[in-house]
Amino acid sequence: MKKIGVLVSGGGSNLESIIEACKSGILKDIALVCVVISNRSDAYALQRAKKNNIPSVFVDKNSFMTYLEFSDAILRELLEYKVDLVCLSGFMQKVEANLINAFKNKIINIHPALLPKFGGKGMYGHFVHEAVIASKESKSGATVHFVDDQYDHGKTIAQIEVPVLVNDTSKTLAEKVLKVEHDLYPKAIKIILEDK
Ligand code: GRF
């Protein structure tokens, strides 16, 4: 069984879909979520971890002098739990070189658009969907990609499209995209863990 560590900052609906896939879906007997790490104590994702009896850790950025120390504290947790794959799931912090070097090609992220479009610094949450609507795109979607030292930049592992309809708002688009993310992320994880 491969061990997945999930980094979160918020709701964690993708975390939930990964947990479900490990319990009874396409990741059953392949992987398990062994730790959930959050930079926010109030992230609902932490409650999801608790409900599923998965160890969770709150790493408080404010208790470190530098960002690197904060990042090292996350690294220590991932190493302690002997994580094979790190999945970012709405993790709103920069991933530093210490993590990228320690987990080469083993850190992945999900982004709510068809990268390389609508990615990069500042492109997160509602900003992404607002930009897609403003550009009058006919389609959007989600992308799972490797994490490198630039925002939303590493190689794409899997993508899924959703149509953008004329009456879509950033809110309706966000809902549609999040829904397909829940299918896509476990599939992408399977591809990685099976080395395909
Ligand atoms: C998702 O839209 C994901 O693409 C982005 O952050 C959001 C996280 O949602 N990176 P959740 O916390 O998994 O519900």
Side-chain angles (χ1 to χ4, degrees):
M1 289 278 260
K2 296 286 186 185
K3 293 181 176 177
I4 301 174
V6 184
L7 305 192
V8 296
S9 300
S13 66
N14 278 291
L15 165 67
E16 189 90 42
S17 76
I18 296 168
I19 294 171
E20 283 310 311
C22 290
K23 280 206 303 206
S24 54
I26 62 168
L27 295 173
K28 189 169 184 295
D29 300 328
I30 296 175
L32 58 92
V33 177
C34 65
V35 65
V36 174
I37 301 173
S38 174
N39 67 304
R40 292 187 58 129
S41 60
D42 60 352
Y44 184 63
L46 289 175
Q47 293 187 40
R48 294 187 199 262
K50 204 168 284 171
K51 245 186 5 218
N52 285 282
N53 296 315
I54 295 169
S56 59
V57 188
F58 162 50
V59 182
D60 185 2
K61 198 162 77 173
N62 295 325
S63 65
F64 300 97
M65 296 286 279
T66 65
Y67 194 84
L68 191 60
E69 286 174 45
F70 162 67
S71 192
D72 272 336
I74 293 175
L75 177 58
R76 274 197 301 279
E77 296 293 344
L78 293 169
L79 294 175
E80 182 166 330
Y81 281 92
K82 301 193 174 7
V83 162
D84 297 299
L85 180 71
V86 182
C87 294
L88 310 188
S89 180
F91 183 61
M92 300 295 289
Q93 298 292 316
K94 180 111 171 65
V95 175
E96 282 291 330
N98 64 332
L99 289 176
I100 293 168
N101 293 334
F103 289 91
K104 278 234 156 65
N105 291 326
K106 295 284 179 216
I107 307 181
I108 65 177
N109 179 44
I110 188 156
H111 183 79
L114 296 174
L115 292 175
K117 283 183 164 182
F118 305 103
K121 198 166 165 34
M123 269 295 169
Y124 61 88
H126 63 96
F127 295 112
V128 176
H129 306 295
E130 282 161 10
V132 170
I133 299 275
S135 313
K136 302 203 184 311
E137 296 286 322
S138 61
K139 59 185 185 185
S140 188
T143 306
V144 177
H145 64 94
F146 288 106
V147 171
D148 65 13
D149 58 356
Q150 294 174 51
Y151 285 106
D152 306 322
H153 177 263
K155 191 165 184 272
T156 292
I157 300 158
Q159 264 185 338
I160 188 163
E161 292 181 1
V162 300
V164 182
L165 306 177
V166 275
N167 55 354
D168 263 327
T169 62
S170 60
K171 192 162 174 285
T172 60
L173 182 59
E175 284 164 6
K176 285 198 294 194
V177 170
L178 190 60
K179 198 151 170 242
V180 299
E181 285 183 34
H182 298 156
D183 263 347
L184 184 71
Y185 214 173
K187 281 183 186 154
I189 291 170
K190 191 162 188 265
I191 292 172
I192 295 301
L193 291 181
E194 293 183 335
D195 218 8
K196 289 193 175 142

